[in-house]
Amino acid sequence: MPKVYPVYDNKFKVGIDGSATADTIIANVTNFAPSIEGGVEEWNPMEAGGWGDAMMTSKKLGFSFQGKRTYGDPGNDFIAGLAWKSGNDVVAPFAWEMPSGAKVEFTAIINVTTPAGGDSTAVDALEFEVKCKGKPTFTPAPAPAG
């Protein structure tokens, strides 16, 4: 039987303090948007009578996240601390665990876009982008028992 899942069943993990694996959950993520960008090469061969052809030759995976700054949470503190860094200091293992059981793991470049802020009566914000560095590893959801 087909299933649907609530968005809150998605989990995001990051490798902190030089960890080689993404094993620390990032607290208080309130919204995420994955994006897959395909690089398409296009050409117009003479024999096609003016009609074009195309081939997808590359892919890029990225995410944008919104959340609340949670002081004292290891994952949230790690992400927020990257706001003041660049280069190799913003590269870390990252994982997306989907409600179905599927998983995407990759080396990430993490760009903090909002390390804090908001209205005076709001909870402090934390917003960041995650870019996949190279090809991710996708593990499909386990087959249903039956």
Side-chain angles (χ1 to χ4, degrees):
M1 174 179 226
K3 291 185 178 181
V4 296
Y5 300 95
V7 173
Y8 63 73
D9 279 347
N10 289 277
K11 293 180 180 65
F12 299 96
K13 297 181 179 180
V14 65
I16 64 173
D17 299 326
S19 173
T21 58
D23 52 7
T24 302
I25 289 180
I26 305 162
N28 275 319
V29 169
T30 59
N31 184 298
F32 81 100
S35 65
I36 299 175
E37 178 185 337
V40 177
E41 178 82 16
E42 298 182 20
W43 65 95
N44 298 296
M46 301 293 260
E47 68 274 11
W51 288 92
D53 203 343
M55 176 183 280
M56 185 172 297
T57 60
S58 67
K59 291 267 196 180
K60 293 180 186 175
L61 172 64
F63 297 83
S64 62
F65 290 93
Q66 294 175 329
K68 302 301 180 188
R69 180 66 179 97
T70 308
Y71 297 87
D73 173 78
N76 195 288
D77 286 346
F78 176 77
I79 296 292
L82 298 178
W84 318 114
K85 298 178 180 179
S86 63
N88 290 323
D89 293 336
V90 298
V91 176
F94 202 86
W96 174 21
E97 296 178 6
M98 298 173 215
S100 66
K103 190 174 187 178
V104 178
E105 299 173 279
F106 55 92
T107 301
I109 297 170
I110 302 169
N111 177 31
V112 177
T113 57
T114 305
D119 292 334
S120 65
T121 58
V123 175
D124 230 355
L126 176 63
E127 297 179 8
F128 57 101
E129 300 170 338
V130 171
K131 302 289 184 186
C132 178
K133 188 173 165 61
K135 184 178 180 179
T137 300
F138 176 72
T139 305

